Amino acid sequence: MAKLASKVYGDALFQLAVEEQKVDTFLSEIPALETAMEENPELSAIMDHPKIIKEEKIRILEDCFKGRISDELCGLLTLAVEKERYKELPAIFAYTVGQLKEYKKIGVAEVTSAQELDETWKERIEKKLLATTSYRTMEITWRVDPGLLGGMVVRIGDRVVDGSLKFKLTELTGGLNRISLEQNEKVGERAS
């Protein structure tokens, strides 16, 4: 249910951003709003408190955010309280930001390598990702996982390219196991 809500609200917020030409505004305000909410857990406690009436919660949100963020995002906060969807705001924000980045052709990638990559390698990888996708820019998170043994794993959205040595060894082992099973089956057929 939460996934459906994040899509419905997120799609509406995305459409509003495009129609009102506030894509860049939302891309800067949403992360700032998320940070403010994360850094103030007492705000979530108030929004979750069953004995505080909705009108009071809305007043508190307006006192905190009105004039600091766009009216559209303030309106979303109000709507989230009215419809009892406040807890789903992180999912709504994540979905909306993803849609806005796709709209602006900003790719979001995670590159995991077996060891730290120097700037030259990072630039090469970024250029390759831009050349093989339709994105104009890339936001890349660089991670190190020595368990990969060598190579790297690249994730863009739900797409994964696993060029790690660990993956290749796993594939090789699986192939050898299949060959071994096939040979055992043939030997069993000959024996009967």
Side-chain angles (χ1 to χ4, degrees), residues 9-138:
Y9 285 83
D11 281 339
L13 195 56
F14 168 74
Q15 288 297 330
L16 185 63
V18 172
E19 289 170 9
E20 298 293 322
Q21 299 179 356
K22 292 194 173 186
V23 172
D24 292 329
T25 301
F26 283 14
L27 278 173
S28 67
E29 286 184 353
I30 289 173
L33 180 57
E34 287 178 300
T35 300
M37 292 167 75
E38 287 169 11
E39 290 176 352
N40 296 290
E42 56 277 354
L43 181 62
S44 290
I46 291 169
M47 294 302 129
D48 293 339
H49 200 286
K51 294 193 179 188
I52 299 175
I53 61 172
K54 289 179 183 178
E55 291 78 12
E56 182 64 19
K57 292 176 182 179
I58 291 168
R59 188 192 61 74
I60 291 168
L61 286 173
E62 287 177 348
D63 287 348
C64 290
F65 298 110
K66 195 160 184 89
R68 293 179 178 88
I69 59 173
S70 62
D71 291 341
E72 294 84 1
L73 286 178
C74 267
L76 174 68
L77 295 176
T78 300
L79 186 63
V81 169
E82 288 172 354
K83 301 291 184 181
E84 298 180 4
R85 300 272 189 205
Y86 188 84
K87 286 184 177 183
E88 295 169 34
L89 283 173
I92 293 167
F93 290 150
Y95 181 84
T96 303
V97 168
Q99 293 295 97
L100 293 170
K101 286 183 179 180
E102 282 292 322
Y103 177 79
K104 292 207 39 121
K105 299 285 187 197
I106 300 170
V108 179
E110 180 180 296
V111 177
T112 307
S113 57
Q115 61 187 16
E116 187 70 36
L117 299 172
D118 64 24
E119 289 306 312
T120 304
W121 271 105
K122 288 180 179 181
E123 287 174 19
R124 282 182 182 170
I125 292 166
E126 183 175 2
K127 284 180 184 174
K128 184 71 170 175
L129 291 175
L130 288 171
T132 58
T133 64
S134 61
Y135 298 116
R136 293 185 194 133
T137 60
M138 294 296 292

Side-chain angles (χ1 to χ4, degrees), residues 130-170:
L130 288 171
T132 58
T133 64
S134 61
Y135 298 116
R136 293 185 194 133
T137 60
M138 294 296 292
E139 291 179 359
I140 303 174
T141 303
W142 304 95
R143 301 194 189 288
V144 175
D145 179 2
L148 295 179
L149 305 175
M152 67 184 66
V153 178
V154 179
R155 296 177 195 276
I156 301 177
D158 59 357
R159 294 170 288 180
V160 178
V161 177
D162 194 335
S164 68
L165 185 55
K166 179 180 179 181
F167 177 74
K168 290 177 182 175
L169 288 172
T170 302

